[in-house]
Amino acid sequence: MRTKATPVVVFDEALQHLVADMTATMYEANGIGLAATQVNVHQQIVVIDVSDNGSMPQVFINPAIKVLDEVLHEYEEGCLSVPGFHETVERPEHIEITAQDVSGETFTLIPDGLLAVCIQHEVDHLNGKLFVDYISSMKRTRIRKKLEKQHRQKA
Ligand code: QAP
Ligand code: CO
């Protein structure tokens, strides 16, 4: 779970198979997103379906996120790897994602709403991060900033 994924370099039938397997696993678990890390494959592959009826699977291979501005957005996240646990996480709202599809074709998109949240959550998995670490580190940062501010006001 903590291993960093490496980029996919070969776009072959085995990759298509893996993506199909991951998509099936995600649907079986009633998830909206799954990173290869979660099935113990340490390659940069993410599958997501944020549609209402699970009819729009999307695949992101070697995804790279670019944060477009500093606007943050809060969302109550869950995770198939941390079942039953939900917490509010703050993440950039406006991002651009560049990734490859199963055939290796590069595409760029500006996701909105839940898709933007989900992609960031899944890319964290590829980097060996879980959303629970994220919250605690954010909480730490917030508390530290608050303390620093109090300190300045005293001075
Ligand atoms: C990540 O998470 C996500 O606790 C995907 O008992 C979640 O698919 C990104 C799940 C929310 C953005 C917003 C969680 C299923 C599924 C559970 C999931 C559970 C059963 C989580
Ligand atoms: Co997750």
Side-chain angles (χ1 to χ4, degrees):
M1 211 47 103
R2 299 297 178 187
T3 312
K4 280 196 181 179
T6 54
V8 171
V9 285
V10 185
F11 292 81
D12 59 2
E13 233 168 85
L15 178 70
Q16 289 177 24
H17 216 93
L18 177 60
V19 166
D21 262 9
M22 283 175 57
T23 309
T25 303
M26 171 178 75
Y27 287 142
E28 270 164 37
N30 288 315
I32 56 166
L34 187 77
T37 311
Q38 294 174 275
V39 292
N40 217 22
V41 173
H42 299 291
Q43 294 194 59
Q44 293 173 14
I45 307 165
V46 163
V47 295
I48 291 178
D49 192 332
V50 291
S51 68
D52 289 336
N53 50 358
S55 61
M56 254 185 58
Q58 286 175 281
V59 183
F60 300 88
I61 296 170
N62 304 331
I65 289 170
K66 186 174 148 197
V67 177
L68 299 178
D69 62 37
E70 291 183 353
V71 178
L72 295 176
H73 175 74
E74 279 190 351
Y75 198 89
E76 173 132 348
E77 298 187 14
C79 181
L80 292 174
S81 300
V82 197
F85 187 81
H86 297 262
E87 254 290 9
T88 303
V89 182
E90 217 174 28
R91 301 181 185 273
E93 181 170 19
H94 302 125
I95 61 168
E96 181 182 273
I97 176 131
T98 302
Q100 283 163 279
D101 66 17
V102 267
S103 58
E105 202 76 48
T106 300
F107 62 95
T108 296
L109 74 93
I110 296 182
D112 50 31
L114 186 54
L115 183 56
V117 178
C118 199
I119 286 177
Q120 294 179 76
H121 175 113
E122 302 310 332
V123 169
D124 274 354
H125 276 299
L126 299 180
N127 292 321
K129 258 196 193 173
L130 287 174
F131 83 111
V132 281
D133 313 332
Y134 203 69
I135 315 157
S136 49
S137 82
M138 298 249 290
K139 276 191 176 155
R140 269 200 300 277
T141 308
R142 217 177 290 163
I143 290 165
R144 204 192 64 228
K145 282 193 175 148
K146 208 171 155 185
L147 286 173
E148 280 170 359
K149 199 176 161 193
Q150 283 175 358
H151 200 79
R152 274 201 306 277
Q153 283 169 347
K154 268 188 216 154

